[in-house]
Amino acid sequence: MSSEVGFAELPRQVHKRAQKKGFEFTLMVVGESGLGKSTLVNSLFMTDLYADREIPTANERREQTVQLETSTVEIEEKGVRLRLTVVDTPGFGDAIDNDDCWESIIDYVDMQFDHYLRDESGLNRRNIVDNRIHSCLYFISPSGHGLKPLDIAVMKKLDDKVNIIPVIGKADMLTKQELQQLKKKILAEIRENGIRIYSGGETDEEENQDLKKCTPFAVVSSNQVLEVGGKKVRGRLYPWGVVEVENPKHSEFPQLRNILMRTHMQDLKEVTVGIHYENYRSGRLAKAGRPFGDVLQDPGSPPPANPTTPGTDDVASKLAEKEQELERMRMMMDMMRQQMQQQGGGGAQV
């Protein structure tokens, strides 16, 4: 007689269902023009998401406002389908006056939370499309001396809404010694300003080693294929040699790709859902005057601000009405159950 019940097959069932349904992942890239954001995204996912993009002139950039561009592509690897959405921010930091240039980015992140909250409270919850931002690659200039005031301001606005992963673009501009000094300064300024960046969540400690060791990631990206030592590689050609994109000695691109795609993608999604989205949802419900649970936060992060003054909110009001209706139905069921018990008791006495 077999001693197995059969629930050990649950992981296989979950894997089969997930493989059939496919996965969704939304990545936002933020940073000044010319740091290689678009090239890095194309290198990460082996595709060309920006084939039709027009490069603005210097005069156009001077007065350009931040315009968010969304690109979605279906990728399949070994039978696993991924719906990848990349949100780019052309025009960020390019204007003469960059005051409040982050507002459209914040508004977009909040809008995706709001859309999901509305769909979640609707009738058709089986086919909700998740466009919430699961990770934000924030690009830092290698030619600066650490974080600029704009970098600090924007990351502080974003750190309670998205998982920030800082990236030093075009890192081949620096020597190894210069790069290490820049990394130390960036991390020190992040700590001094209380900026919360993605630190690995609940993944295995071994898998977090690359994340902790490499942050901020110093990357080199290129879509140009070159021949080096009889092998075809993607890299950048210089008079003195070739910088290979996927060579860990030349660039931390392989480590960044592993973090995003191989080891931490699910954790990035879970942190988005369990912390960032729940904080947003609690805040929206608080505005409607409804009781809500404690705002979730990362370990060691400062306590959340007091909720805002109650106001009107269509989504939260609909949720409140639905819960009131459910409460009335529960009370009616309790009353019917009591009546049936009383009738049953009376019959027994007769």
Side-chain angles (χ1 to χ4, degrees):
M1 184 176 64
S2 174
S3 59
E4 295 181 356
V5 177
F7 59 82
E9 293 296 313
L10 278 173
R12 184 185 63 80
Q13 297 176 32
V14 173
H15 176 266
K16 186 176 180 181
R17 179 173 295 183
Q19 190 172 17
K20 181 179 179 181
K21 183 180 178 182
F23 297 88
E24 299 170 333
F25 189 74
T26 303
L27 176 70
M28 174 177 276
V29 288
V30 180
E32 299 176 6
S33 298
L35 294 181
K37 302 189 301 296
S38 304
T39 306
L40 177 67
V41 170
N42 288 338
S43 300
L44 280 171
F45 303 104
M46 303 290 240
T47 185
D48 189 358
L49 292 173
Y50 307 101
D52 300 327
R53 171 178 289 181
E54 295 183 2
I55 306 299
T57 64
N59 288 332
E60 290 172 339
R61 284 181 179 176
R62 188 173 58 185
E63 299 180 359
Q64 185 179 15
T65 57
V66 181
Q67 301 290 332
L68 276 72
E69 294 182 359
T70 303
S71 303
T72 302
V73 64
E74 296 275 351
I75 305 174
E76 185 168 340
E77 181 181 79
K78 296 182 180 179
V80 178
R81 291 181 295 108
L82 173 67
R83 178 181 175 272
L84 170 69
T85 301
V86 177
V87 183
D88 201 352
T89 55
F92 174 83
D94 292 347
I96 295 176
D97 183 4
N98 288 308
D99 290 344
D100 301 331
C101 68
W102 56 80
E103 286 187 353
S104 59
I105 299 173
I106 302 298
D107 290 343
Y108 182 87
V109 175
D110 287 342
M111 183 174 64
Q112 303 314 309
F113 282 152
D114 193 55
H115 286 172
Y116 194 90
L117 180 60
R118 186 181 296 112
D119 292 343
E120 194 178 40
S121 60
L123 297 176
N124 185 16
R125 300 178 58 182
R126 292 176 60 88
N127 300 313
I128 298 178
V129 177
D130 185 6
N131 285 322
R132 293 172 293 185
I133 306 298
H134 300 123
S135 179
C136 173
L137 298 183
Y138 191 90
F139 280 72
I140 301 166
S141 173
S143 58
H145 300 282
L147 296 177
K148 298 178 182 179
L150 178 62
D151 297 328
I152 295 172
V154 175
M155 285 200 280
K156 290 185 74 170
K157 292 284 185 180
L158 283 172
D159 67 356
D160 64 340
K161 297 178 182 292
V162 296
N163 298 308
I164 298 177
I165 299 178
V167 174
I168 302 173
K170 295 190 174 180
D172 51 335
M173 292 176 58
L174 304 174
T175 65
K176 287 188 177 181
Q177 183 178 1
E178 291 171 338
L179 196 55
Q180 291 305 315
Q181 291 175 350
L182 180 60
K183 281 191 169 195
K184 289 180 181 178
K185 186 165 187 180
I186 289 173
L187 288 175
E189 291 175 337
I190 285 174
R191 288 191 295 267
E192 290 170 5
N193 289 279
I195 299 170
R196 290 167 290 187
I197 59 176
Y198 179 66
S199 58
E202 298 182 358
T203 52
D204 294 339
E205 188 62 30
E206 184 177 347
E207 293 180 341
N208 283 333
Q209 288 302 315
D210 278 347
L211 180 64
K212 294 178 179 179
K213 180 181 177 181
C214 296
T215 302
F217 289 83
V219 299
V220 179
S221 52
S222 174
N223 295 322
Q224 185 179 8
V225 178
L226 305 169
E227 188 169 332
V228 178
K231 295 181 180 180
K232 291 188 179 296
V233 298
R234 284 183 299 160
R236 300 179 69 88
L237 180 62
Y238 292 96
W240 43 263
V242 175
V243 176
E244 299 177 31
V245 171
E246 300 189 41
N247 187 335
K249 295 180 180 179
H250 298 177
S251 168
E252 290 172 344
F253 172 86
Q255 292 92 324
L256 177 61
R257 182 178 57 190
N258 284 340
I259 295 296
L260 287 175
M261 307 299 295
R262 191 183 300 273
T263 60
H264 288 69
M265 177 180 282
Q266 185 59 33
D267 187 71
L268 286 164
K269 296 177 69 173
E270 289 176 359
V271 172
T272 298
V273 174
I275 296 180
H276 300 309
Y277 173 66
E278 282 303 315
N279 286 346
Y280 176 84
R281 181 177 176 274
S282 298
R284 293 302 295 265
L285 297 182
K287 288 182 180 180
R290 289 192 53 220
F292 62 100
D294 293 336
V295 176
L296 302 175
Q297 54 183 334
D298 294 311
S301 61
N306 292 330
T308 55
T309 305
T312 58
D313 187 284
D314 292 339
V315 176
S317 298
K318 289 179 181 178
L319 287 172
E321 291 175 3
K322 287 181 180 292
E323 288 205 359
Q324 290 174 2
E325 185 177 350
L326 288 172
E327 184 63 28
R328 288 195 296 268
M329 292 176 65
R330 281 194 289 267
M331 292 175 63
M332 291 177 61
M333 292 293 293
D334 290 340
M335 292 175 61
M336 291 174 63
R337 192 179 296 108
Q338 291 175 4
Q339 291 177 0
M340 291 176 65
Q341 290 174 352
Q342 292 174 358
Q343 290 175 1
Q349 291 176 358
V350 174

